[in-house]
Amino acid sequence: MIPPFDSSGKRTSRPVSRVSDETLDTALLSLLQSSSLACILMDRSRNIQSWNAGAEALLGWKTEEVLDRPLSHLLADDSGENQLDRITATRADLCLRKKNGESLEVQISSSKLPASSLMKAGFILLLQDITEKKFLEGALLEASEREQRRIGQELHNHLCQHLVGAAFSAKALAGALDRDHSSHAPQLHELARLINDAVTQVRDVSRGLHPVELDAAGLMSALQELANRVAQMTPCSFQCDRHVLVKNTIAALNAYRIAQETVTAALQKSGPKKIEITLSQSGNSICMAISVDGKQESELTANPAGIAAKTLHYRAQAMQGTLSLEFNPDRGTRVTCVFPS
C-alpha cells in the first residue's frame, strides 16, 4: 500500500483508508438508480438484474416487468443471440422494442462487472437513443446520393449529347475540307478526336456519379467498371471468385460508394502502384476489401475523425455492417467492409 503525501509533499507513514467493496457496490447501485441515463445491469446469462428510472422512461417497461428476464426479450427482431453477442463489445448499435410496440434504435456502451457480495458478475449497459442521429445520417447520405445522381444524369443527358453534336459537326467540316484538299483538314480531324475523347471521359464521370443499376448482381458489375476506369490511371484489379448477389439495393449502393471513395482518396494522396478490390461471401456475410499499396496515408486513416472516414462508417452502419480502416507503412492501406447479404 502506498502511503499518502503530507502538506509538504513528503510521504507519511499513515496508510490510506480503504472503502469496502460492499460500500462501493451500494454507492454504484444508488447512482445507477438515480441517474437520468438509461442504465441496465445484466448478468453473464444475459438476464436483467437492475433497471433504473432512465431505462423505464426510455423503453416504457417497469422494473418488475423485466427483472430477471433475458435481455433478448427487448430486441425488436428475432436475431436474438447474434445481436446480444455484440453487446460484449465496448459499443454497439441495436434496435430494441418499447413497451408500446415501437422500435427504438439505441447505442449501448458496456463494461464488464466483477462478481461481488451485492452483484453478480456480468455487464453494466448504458443506453442512448440514437433514432434522430440515425435519421439525420440517413438523410445526409440520401441527399448526397440524390445530388450525385442528378449531376450524373445532367452530364450524360445534356453535356454528352452536346459534345457528340460538336464532334459530328467537326467531323463533317473536316470531311468537306478533305474534299477541298485543305491543309486545315487534319487539324479538324484531331479536334473531332479530342471531342470524342472528352465524351468518353464525361461518360466515365457520369457512370461514377450514377453507377450501373444495382440489382442483385449489380455490385459486381459496378466494382468491375470502377476497377476498369481506375486502371486507365493506375493498375487496378477486381477479383470475385464466385457470384456474390446483394439483394438490398441500398446496401449495394453504399458498398460501391465505400469502394469508390476509398479508391479516390488513395489516388489523391497515397501514390499507389497497385489497387486491388475483392468481393467474397461466406454464409450470410459479404466481405468487400480494398487494398492500396501506397506508402503514404490517405485522409481515411490519417484523419479517422474526419468527415471522409466518418462518411464511410455511416455507410457501413446503414448497411448494418462493420468497417475497418488499416494502414501499414510496409503494406499500405486496407479498407474492409463486412455486411449481411
Side-chain angles (χ1 to χ4, degrees):
M1 183 182 298
I2 301 174
F5 293 97
D6 61 19
S7 58
S8 65
K10 296 181 179 180
R11 294 190 184 276
T12 67
S13 57
R14 179 171 55 85
V16 178
S17 61
R18 300 183 64 183
V19 180
S20 68
D21 291 341
E22 185 172 345
T23 302
L24 288 174
D25 290 345
T26 302
L28 175 60
L29 290 173
S30 176
L31 179 63
L32 294 180
Q33 289 300 327
S34 62
S35 174
S36 59
L37 295 174
C39 304
I40 302 173
L41 296 185
M42 178 180 73
D43 62 22
R44 287 180 175 174
S45 298
R46 296 169 176 171
N47 295 322
I48 298 171
Q49 298 300 306
S50 179
W51 181 269
N52 75 341
E56 181 178 332
L58 184 66
L59 296 169
W61 304 95
K62 295 186 178 297
T63 302
E64 58 270 20
E65 295 175 308
V66 297
L67 206 61
D68 290 324
R69 300 194 67 175
L71 190 64
S72 58
H73 171 71
L74 302 179
L75 294 176
D77 54 37
D78 298 327
S79 50
E81 296 301 317
N82 291 334
Q83 281 210 47
L84 291 181
D85 286 339
R86 297 164 55 196
I87 292 180
T88 58
T90 305
R91 182 171 296 178
D93 294 347
L94 294 178
C95 195
L96 300 182
R97 180 169 55 89
K98 300 173 67 173
K99 185 177 180 180
N100 61 10
E102 295 179 358
S103 295
L104 182 70
E105 291 190 85
V106 298
Q107 185 174 82
I108 298 183
S109 301
S110 67
S111 180
K112 288 184 178 181
L113 279 178
S116 68
S117 58
L118 295 180
M119 295 183 292
K120 297 180 180 179
F123 298 87
I124 178 172
L125 311 177
L126 300 180
L127 280 61
Q128 180 183 5
D129 182 359
I130 58 172
T131 304
E132 184 176 1
K133 174 176 175 285
K134 287 286 189 180
F135 170 78
L136 293 175
E137 289 174 358
L140 176 63
L141 292 178
E142 183 180 348
S144 173
E145 288 298 335
R146 187 167 54 247
E147 185 63 11
Q148 289 194 65
R149 286 195 300 269
R150 184 191 68 79
I151 295 173
Q153 288 172 344
E154 288 287 331
L155 289 173
H156 183 272
N157 297 338
H158 299 288
L159 182 56
C160 273
Q161 299 306 316
H162 184 77
L163 289 172
V164 167
F168 275 125
S169 297
K171 197 71 175 175
L173 183 55
L177 292 178
D178 277 334
R179 288 190 294 273
D180 293 338
H181 305 289
S182 172
S183 61
H184 297 294
Q187 294 174 320
L188 274 175
H189 281 295
E190 177 64 13
L191 177 60
R193 186 190 67 80
L194 291 174
I195 295 175
N196 281 322
D197 287 346
V199 171
T200 301
Q201 292 176 26
V202 171
R203 282 177 175 163
D204 285 344
V205 172
S206 173
R207 283 195 291 265
L209 292 170
H210 185 46
V212 296
E213 291 298 324
L214 294 177
D215 55 13
L219 180 59
M220 293 185 295
S221 301
L223 292 177
Q224 181 65 70
E225 189 173 331
L226 173 64
N228 293 341
R229 289 200 305 273
V230 174
Q232 297 174 16
M233 301 170 285
T234 299
C236 182
S237 64
F238 170 65
Q239 182 177 352
C240 183
D241 293 335
R242 61 187 182 90
H243 276 0
V244 175
L245 304 180
V246 183
K247 298 178 182 178
N248 187 329
T249 57
I250 295 177
L253 183 57
N254 278 312
Y256 172 80
R257 292 299 185 203
I258 288 174
Q260 183 186 43
E261 292 169 28
T262 299
V263 169
T264 300
L267 293 174
Q268 290 174 345
K269 185 71 176 178
S270 301
K273 295 182 179 179
K274 183 175 65 174
I275 299 175
E276 295 179 349
I277 304 172
T278 61
L279 187 68
S280 60
Q281 183 170 2
S282 177
N284 294 324
S285 294
I286 295 174
C287 178
M288 180 184 70
I290 304 96
S291 299
V292 182
D293 70 349
K295 301 295 183 181
Q296 297 180 354
E297 282 192 271
S298 70
E299 182 184 3
L300 298 178
T301 53
N303 184 17
I307 187 65
K310 283 186 175 180
T311 300
L312 295 195
H313 283 289
Y314 293 157
R315 290 190 181 281
Q317 290 172 10
M319 302 154 61
Q320 297 182 339
T322 60
L323 181 80
S324 67
L325 306 171
E326 303 172 358
F327 174 74
N328 184 297
D330 296 326
R331 294 191 297 270
T333 301
R334 182 175 176 85
V335 174
T336 306
C337 182
V338 179
F339 57 97
S341 59

